[in-house]
């Protein structure tokens, strides 16, 4: 592990309701990097994202994950968030009765407090959040609506990136952030994500489609199937997947193994 | 429940006064005599009655409460704490007696506020034309008993074409235990008029007592009435309330009924949409814990075409508390193009909490939209995880979701000070629940 290592995943396995989904995942993510995980349905991509964020439905059955050298699984979900792990949900949850602004400020201040930084009062926070809204070309009226309630698919995804912008995570895991987005919304979301990239944070994209990677260019592309990473390559791997499909990766892997 | 015990309770009520308070007008004496007859004929409800299946009143029947001979004294400080700054006009009842000295003079030219005794002395036919018309005696023993013991109530007229500048606050205070109070209110909104009415039930003690309240609201054509009802009786008290509403052509009645207090409470909201295009929007919230029981019964009677109704009733139930919701909707033969929806949602915070929710739809017209739904559950694990993934701890996430569940109703209350007060109560309750749960 170098000092730049944010996440180190070794031989991770996990199951849901006793059914194994992850079967020996390995991955190292360093600061400043963008990683993309691709793979067919059921390959374990989303499970990997949820396990990292601490979703209670999944049970870790083996292996280890270190976040900046700390045992990730020793931390409950909220501590991971405070330590800088952010999961952008594939299907963001609606929270009726809580306004977006109140929720963002509560989350921001909770996370800031845990990081030993100053909290913001409502007025200060409003200035702060207006900037972030502009980044995502979001209407300020979003702040007064209940969290995700009645939002279109695209609005929900934008709202996830708004939360990411507010919480300033060290590791942002974006689970199918492109699903349900039209091309304009995709461009806005991607440009928002790109502007949040720094030399100190890292982004893990989980996606089905290569088109997202035209907008958020990854340093590494991992192909997952059967709960493991079959192959890791540069962004060109994504293009190859686009033209050849996933099957050849699995076949090639099987060939190498045999 | 034996009949003797039932009649024993009525007897104890009747013992309170050897004769009816007599009035200057014969019609009121006749009404009260009729009400007394009805009360005797009806006998008190038990869980054998379909309408009271889930609400066992036997703890009430074991008590013997008497009407207070007069209003108790209320310290200025105690009164001030209950006043809403937005209210332009306040009407105070103390132990069931209308207390004009504690009430404020009403200067709003849109309103005519009169005590029943003053109304009886004058020539205004409003009282006679409306009293006991919208909350009929025959339907319910408690309405009949309230009417039989009717002393002095208040009549509010909203003059035709006028809109009250500020909300009217009706404050019903209980100052002492062992008393039964019979507050009575009549609101008549004339054609194309508008007002906001807040009915607030507060106890200044923690003892046992009974509030048996009846409110009648008549909306003439084109009127619009917003009616907020907050029941925050002592948790040892009993509260039985009925609100009878008649909605005229194109008129709109909006109600928010919040139940926080009382050991056993029951609220009947009976609405007749009595002309074409009548509309009602009904919100409800029960927030209870301990061994409280809160029963909400709504009855919506769509009698004419093009009516519309929206109902959303929520309950947050902790400990061994028990919430009941019964929502009956009638759509009569001629009430074509009725558009009606009823939702009841409950959140159970403890494994011993209980909710009974029953929609009852009786539809006799064929071109109508009637949607209804009932959901009882716990907080959703996905929602809790979502909030935790944003840094909130388990308790914080649960509190926020519980708060939000209740706040949806509270936030729709049009008085900011009252909404803020209720928000604080909801917050305290949700936080109390967490600290209880975390106690070893």
């Amino acid at each position: 592990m170098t000092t730049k290592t944010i996440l180190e995943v070794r031989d991770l396995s996990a199951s849901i309701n006793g059914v194994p989904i992850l079967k020996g995942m390995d991955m190292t993510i360093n600061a400043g990097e963008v990683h993309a995980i691709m793979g067919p349905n059921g390959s374990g991509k989303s499970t990997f994202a949820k396990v990292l964020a601490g979703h209670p439905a999944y049970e870790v059955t083996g292996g280890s994950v270190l976040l900046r050298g700390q045992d990730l699984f020793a931390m409950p979900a909220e501590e991971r968030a405070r330590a800088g792990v952010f999961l952008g949900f594939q299907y963001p949850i609606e929270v009726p009765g809580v306004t977006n602004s109140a929720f963002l400020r509560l989350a921001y201040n909770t996370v800031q407090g845990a990081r030993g930084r100053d909290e913001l009062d409502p007025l200060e926070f409003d200035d702060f959040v207006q900037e972030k809204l502009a980044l995502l070309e979001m209407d300020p009226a979003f702040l007064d609506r209940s969290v995700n309630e009645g939002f279109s698919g695209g609005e929900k995804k934008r709202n996830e990136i708004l939360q990411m912008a507010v919480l300033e995570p060290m590791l942002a895991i974006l689970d199918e952030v492109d699903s349900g987005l039209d091309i304009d919304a995709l461009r806005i979301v991607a440009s928002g994500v790109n502007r949040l990239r720094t030399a100190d944070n890292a982004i893990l994209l989980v996606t089905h489609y290569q088109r997202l990677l035209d907008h958020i260019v990854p340093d590494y592309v991992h192909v997952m199937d059967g709960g493991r990473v079959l192959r890791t390559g540069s962004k060109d791997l994504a293009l190859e997947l686009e033209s050849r499909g996933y099957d050849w990766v699995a076949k090639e892997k099987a060939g190498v193994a045999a | 429940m034996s009949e003797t015990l039932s009649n024993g309770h009525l007897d104890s009520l009747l013992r309170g006064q050897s004769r009816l308070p007599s009035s200057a007008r014969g019609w009121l004496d006749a009404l009260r005599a009729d009400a007394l007859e009805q009360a005797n004929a009806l006998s008190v409800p038990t869980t054998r009655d379909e309408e009271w299946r889930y609400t066992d009143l036997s703890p009430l029947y074991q008590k013997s409460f008497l009407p207070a001979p007069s209003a108790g004294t209320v310290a200025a400080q105690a009164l001030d704490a209950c006043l809403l700054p937005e209210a332009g006009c306040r009407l105070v009842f103390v132990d069931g007696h209308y207390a004009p000295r504690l009430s404020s003079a009403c200067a709003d030219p849109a309103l005519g506020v009169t005590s029943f005794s003053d109304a009886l002395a004058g020539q205004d036919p409003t009282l006679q034309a409306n009293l006991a018309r919208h909350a009929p005696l025959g339907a319910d023993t408690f309405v009949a008993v309230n009417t039989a013991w009717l002393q002095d109530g208040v009549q509010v007229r909203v003059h035709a074409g006028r809109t009250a500048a500020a909300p009217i606050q009706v404050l019903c205070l209980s100052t002492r235990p062992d008393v039964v109070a019979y507050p009575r209110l009549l609101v008549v909104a004339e054609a194309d008029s508008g007002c906001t009415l807040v009915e607030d039930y507060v106890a200044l003690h923690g003892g046992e007592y009974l509030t048996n309240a009846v409110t009648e609201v008549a909306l003439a054509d084109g009127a619009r009435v917003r009616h907020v009802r907050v029941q925050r009786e002592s948790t040892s008290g009993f509260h039985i309330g009925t609100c009878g509403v008649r909605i005229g052509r194109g008129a709109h009645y909006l109600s928010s009924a919040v139940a926080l207090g009382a050991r056993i409470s029951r609220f009947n909201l009976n609405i007749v949409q009595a002309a074409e295009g009548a509309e009602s929007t009904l919100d409800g919230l029960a927030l209870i814990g301990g061994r409280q029981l809160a029963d909400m019964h709504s009855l919506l009677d769509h009698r004419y075409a093009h009516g519309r109704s929206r109902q959303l009733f929520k309950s947050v139930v902790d400990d061994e508390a028990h919430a009941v919701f019964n929502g009956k909707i009638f759509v009569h033969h001629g009430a074509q193009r009725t558009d009606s929806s009823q939702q009841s949602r409950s959140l159970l915070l403890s494994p011993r909490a209980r909710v009974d929710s029953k929609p009852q739809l009786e539809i006799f017209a064929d071109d109508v939209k009637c949607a209804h739904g009932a959901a009882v559950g716990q907080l959703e694990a996905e929602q809790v995880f979502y909030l935790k993934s944003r840094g909130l701890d388990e308790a914080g996430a649960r509190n926020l979701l519980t708060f939000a569940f209740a706040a949806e109703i509270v936030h729709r209350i049009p008085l900011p000070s009252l909404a803020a007060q209720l928000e604080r109560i909801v917050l305290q309750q949700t936080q109390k629940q967490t600290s209880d749960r975390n106690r070893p």
Side-chain angles (χ1 to χ4, degrees):
Chain A
M1 184 188 99
T2 72
T3 51
K4 298 273 281 175
T5 301
I6 287 180
L7 193 77
E8 197 167 14
V9 180
R10 289 292 165 261
D11 199 24
L12 174 64
S13 49
S15 60
I16 184 165
N17 300 325
V19 179
I21 307 286
L22 299 182
K23 303 165 186 171
M25 281 288 291
D26 289 292
M27 192 174 292
T28 301
I29 299 177
N30 295 314
E33 295 176 350
V34 175
H35 290 242
I37 299 181
M38 303 185 75
N41 284 329
S43 58
K45 306 185 300 287
S46 279
T47 295
F48 182 54
K50 287 179 188 166
V51 165
L52 292 179
H55 193 289
Y58 298 90
E59 188 195 354
V60 175
T61 51
S64 66
V65 176
L66 298 180
L67 178 75
R68 284 241 185 258
Q70 304 284 313
D71 178 5
L72 186 74
F73 298 134
M75 306 180 210
E78 65 271 25
E79 277 182 34
R80 298 181 201 186
R82 294 169 190 177
V85 175
F86 176 87
L87 173 64
F89 281 54
Q90 182 180 0
Y91 302 109
I93 309 294
E94 298 191 2
V95 192
V98 179
T99 62
N100 228 357
S101 59
F103 174 58
L104 286 168
R105 194 167 74 86
L106 184 62
Y108 176 82
N109 282 339
T110 305
V111 164
Q112 286 294 99
R115 293 173 189 171
R117 294 188 219 140
D118 287 343
E119 301 185 1
L120 297 181
D121 70 29
L123 283 177
E124 294 168 330
F125 185 76
D126 191 55
D127 289 343
F128 171 76
V129 82
Q130 292 295 343
E131 278 174 42
K132 309 293 183 189
L133 280 170
L135 189 73
L136 289 154
E137 301 178 30
M138 283 172 81
D139 184 340
F142 269 92
L143 295 176
D144 299 325
R145 291 170 62 183
S146 285
V147 178
N148 294 327
E149 192 187 27
F151 284 26
S152 71
E155 288 171 338
K156 284 182 180 174
K157 292 299 171 72
R158 254 194 257 192
N159 207 30
E160 291 294 282
I161 305 305
L162 176 65
Q163 292 174 36
M164 173 184 164
V166 164
L167 297 177
E168 297 170 343
M170 178 166 67
L171 173 67
I173 305 160
L174 304 178
D175 190 2
E176 307 217 1
V177 70
D178 50 334
S179 66
L181 294 187
D182 61 34
I183 193 68
D184 291 328
L186 177 65
R187 199 174 294 127
I188 292 166
V189 164
S191 104
V193 171
N194 284 329
R195 288 162 71 178
L196 296 170
R197 289 175 66 172
T198 70
D200 299 317
N201 64 22
I203 293 167
L204 177 60
L205 302 167
V206 174
T207 182
H208 263 296
Y209 302 105
Q210 196 273 334
R211 68 166 193 172
L212 175 68
L213 308 183
D214 288 339
H215 298 274
I216 307 174
V217 180
D219 300 294
Y220 298 96
V221 173
H222 309 274
V223 182
M224 265 188 87
D225 199 13
R228 289 181 302 151
V229 173
L230 295 187
R231 188 181 177 126
T232 295
S234 69
K235 66 178 192 312
D236 298 335
L237 179 57
L239 292 169
E240 206 170 348
L241 290 171
E242 183 82 349
S243 59
R244 297 178 63 186
Y246 289 113
D247 284 353
W248 67 272
V249 185
K251 280 180 191 141
E252 201 173 277
K253 178 90 180 175
V256 169
Chain B
M1 187 60 47
S2 73
E3 289 305 311
T4 20
L5 191 54
S6 302
N7 289 331
H9 176 71
L10 279 180
D11 286 346
S12 84
L13 290 175
L14 303 187
R15 238 184 296 131
Q17 286 165 321
S18 51
R19 62 195 169 84
L20 293 169
S22 64
S23 77
R25 304 265 166 171
W27 68 265
L28 184 58
D29 286 342
L31 174 65
R32 286 187 292 212
D34 188 17
L36 186 61
E37 205 172 295
Q38 293 274 4
N40 278 317
L42 286 166
S43 87
V44 293
T46 72
T47 49
R48 287 199 308 259
D49 295 292
E50 187 56 31
E51 288 297 302
W52 293 84
R53 223 173 112 189
Y54 302 110
T55 298
D56 181 2
L57 288 176
S58 48
L60 170 64
Y61 300 149
Q62 287 157 19
K63 313 287 172 191
S64 167
F65 300 129
L66 299 179
S70 62
T73 50
V74 178
Q77 229 177 350
L79 181 65
D80 286 349
C82 301
L83 300 181
L84 298 169
E86 296 94 337
C89 164
R90 72 167 187 265
L91 310 170
V92 182
F93 286 81
V94 178
D95 301 322
H97 296 265
Y98 175 55
R101 279 187 313 107
L102 302 179
S103 306
S104 68
C106 186
D108 191 334
L111 298 173
V113 176
T114 332
S115 69
F116 286 178
S117 43
D118 287 347
L120 287 165
Q123 297 302 313
D124 181 2
T126 308
L127 188 64
Q128 186 173 1
N130 287 279
L131 193 67
R133 298 297 166 94
H134 315 300
L137 304 174
D140 184 284
T141 310
F142 291 97
V143 172
V145 172
N146 174 292
T147 310
W149 298 120
L150 193 135
Q151 297 257 22
D152 204 356
V154 182
Q155 165 193 310
V156 177
R157 278 178 67 187
V158 193
H159 299 305
R162 311 293 287 266
T163 295
I168 306 153
Q169 182 182 12
V170 180
L171 181 62
C172 298
L173 291 170
S174 171
T175 66
R176 53 190 141 168
D178 305 323
V179 156
V180 53
Y182 298 116
R184 184 82 183 216
L185 180 69
L186 171 66
V187 178
V188 176
E190 297 173 358
D192 301 312
S193 69
C195 73
T196 296
L197 178 76
V198 181
E199 225 179 308
D200 198 358
Y201 294 85
V202 181
L204 302 177
H205 62 98
E208 297 183 326
Y209 60 98
L210 168 65
T211 301
N212 173 358
V214 176
T215 297
E216 294 173 89
V217 184
L219 290 83
D221 296 352
R224 181 185 168 92
V225 173
R226 299 200 68 139
H227 188 180
V228 182
R229 187 182 202 275
V230 184
Q231 181 273 100
R232 35 183 160 179
E233 305 273 16
S234 139
T235 48
S236 307
F238 298 89
H239 179 100
I240 294 174
T242 293
C243 181
V245 183
R246 181 192 177 282
I247 309 177
R249 181 183 303 269
H252 191 179
Y253 174 74
L254 302 96
S255 153
S256 300
V258 180
L260 304 169
R263 175 178 168 188
I264 296 176
S265 68
R266 163 71 170 246
F267 179 46
N268 303 306
L269 180 53
N270 301 334
I271 295 181
V272 177
Q273 301 203 162
E276 286 201 359
E279 183 171 358
S280 47
T281 305
L282 314 179
D283 281 355
L285 173 67
L287 184 68
I288 51 174
R291 305 191 67 171
Q292 285 180 285
L293 183 152
D295 179 347
M296 167 82 215
H297 268 59
S298 71
L299 166 59
L300 244 164
D301 201 353
H302 293 272
R303 293 192 182 166
Y304 291 87
H306 302 287
R308 187 183 143 92
S309 64
R310 291 289 173 270
Q311 300 186 62
L312 176 61
F313 288 95
K314 287 188 158 189
S315 53
V316 179
V317 192
D318 200 7
D319 305 322
E320 294 167 61
H322 180 184
V324 178
F325 171 70
N326 190 101
K328 200 184 276 184
I329 296 176
F330 285 112
V331 181
H332 289 257
H333 186 69
Q336 299 294 3
R337 298 292 171 96
T338 289
D339 177 0
S340 163
S341 119
Q342 177 194 81
Q343 298 294 326
S344 104
R345 294 194 199 126
S346 304
L347 194 53
L348 298 175
L349 298 178
S350 131
R352 284 178 300 175
R354 178 177 160 188
V355 169
D356 290 289
S357 179
K358 196 168 103 190
Q360 279 179 283
L361 277 67
E362 296 191 28
I363 300 168
F364 303 99
D366 51 17
D367 183 14
V368 300
K369 255 200 304 195
C370 280
H372 68 96
V376 178
Q378 293 154 350
L379 292 174
E380 282 181 38
E382 285 295 325
Q383 284 186 322
V384 174
F385 173 62
Y386 188 62
L387 299 184
K388 287 172 78 175
S389 79
R390 301 298 182 254
L392 277 66
D393 62 20
E394 178 86 22
R398 289 183 171 277
N399 283 351
L400 183 65
L401 291 171
T402 307
F403 173 76
F405 180 85
E408 187 186 359
I409 301 292
V410 170
H411 287 158
R412 293 204 283 206
I413 290 175
L415 288 83
S417 75
L418 181 60
Q421 266 182 43
L422 293 172
E423 199 172 278
R424 276 197 298 278
I425 291 168
V426 171
L427 208 57
Q428 278 164 11
Q429 192 101 342
T430 47
Q431 278 162 2
K432 175 194 85 71
Q433 283 152 357
T434 314
S435 60
D436 286 354
R437 259 198 302 275
N438 292 348
R439 203 170 292 150

